[in-house]
Amino acid sequence: MYFSLIIIFLILIVINDYKTYKIKNIIIVPFLISGYLFNIYFLGFSGFIDSLAGSLIPFLVLFFFFSINTLGAGDIKALCTLGSITGIDGSTSITLYTFIAGGLISIFIILMKNLTKERFLYFINYIKMLFLTRRFEVYDNFIGLDKSKTRFSGFIFIGSIIYLVKIYC
């Protein structure tokens, strides 16, 4: 039922993210509202609750990653929007598939660019700093944007497609 809504949303966020490194609210808001209205129309009040839970879970779970600068606000809002459309089960599945896809692809890229040692040492030093200072700091990339920054919308796209294939096939 909501297949086309999700596909249109995914195409728009990927295009916007690849052009600007941002997922703008002008894309997020209409689809977020549509997700709520869709679920209210077909499922009534329980649909609203499912939609609300589906959109809050990514925010609550992923806000920490935003606070240490490893995930953008637009990425979280995109996952919340997908949650408003799919409900809590879809939201949880899409978020999980997104992070699995992102992790596997990132490992592949790190291996292909021969950055394994650099990234591992940086991560170990970051963990040491956490224990020594007992506070969370921004996880800065110590190497240039061209080597380390990625557009998370691509992973959201893959995670969502895996979810849709699982549901419809």
Side-chain angles (χ1 to χ4, degrees):
M1 288 192 300
Y2 48 73
F3 181 85
S4 57
L5 188 63
I6 292 173
I7 295 297
I8 293 167
F9 176 69
L10 292 172
I11 291 168
L12 290 174
I13 66 165
V14 168
I15 290 170
N16 194 252
D17 196 19
Y18 273 78
K19 283 184 177 178
T20 66
Y21 270 106
K22 295 189 182 312
I23 301 172
K24 296 184 179 173
N25 289 339
I26 196 158
I27 296 170
I28 296 288
V29 172
F31 285 91
L32 182 71
I33 293 169
S34 296
Y36 282 110
L37 294 176
F38 179 85
N39 283 303
I40 290 168
Y41 179 78
F42 286 105
L43 302 170
F45 185 71
S46 66
F48 170 73
I49 297 299
D50 193 36
S51 195
L52 182 64
S55 62
L56 285 176
I57 292 297
F59 175 76
L60 296 172
V61 171
L62 301 175
F63 185 77
F64 168 75
F65 295 103
F66 170 74
S67 69
I68 63 168
N69 202 31
T70 57
L71 194 59
D75 303 317
I76 295 172
K77 290 184 285 187
L79 288 167
C80 291
T81 300
L82 289 165
S84 80
I85 298 167
T86 62
I88 192 164
D89 291 338
S91 177
T92 305
S93 296
I94 289 170
T95 302
L96 180 65
Y97 298 147
T98 295
F99 275 86
I100 290 170
L104 292 174
I105 293 168
S106 295
I107 288 170
F108 177 76
I109 291 170
I110 286 170
L111 291 172
M112 293 304 295
K113 290 187 175 184
N114 202 23
L115 297 171
T116 310
K117 183 180 175 185
E118 287 177 84
R119 298 308 300 173
F120 181 73
L121 289 174
Y122 184 77
F123 179 71
I124 294 299
N125 286 331
Y126 180 77
I127 297 299
K128 272 195 245 177
M129 189 263 319
L130 288 178
F131 284 108
L132 291 174
T133 63
R134 295 185 184 154
R135 35 176 242 203
F136 289 102
E137 295 290 334
V138 170
Y139 188 85
D140 274 336
N141 291 312
F142 67 103
I143 53 181
L145 288 177
D146 58 323
K147 288 187 178 179
S148 62
K149 190 165 184 175
T150 186
R151 292 170 179 94
F152 201 71
S153 63
F155 303 140
I156 295 171
F157 184 89
I158 293 168
S160 299
I161 295 300
I162 292 169
Y163 170 75
L164 291 173
V165 167
K166 183 180 169 199
I167 294 299
Y168 288 106
C169 293

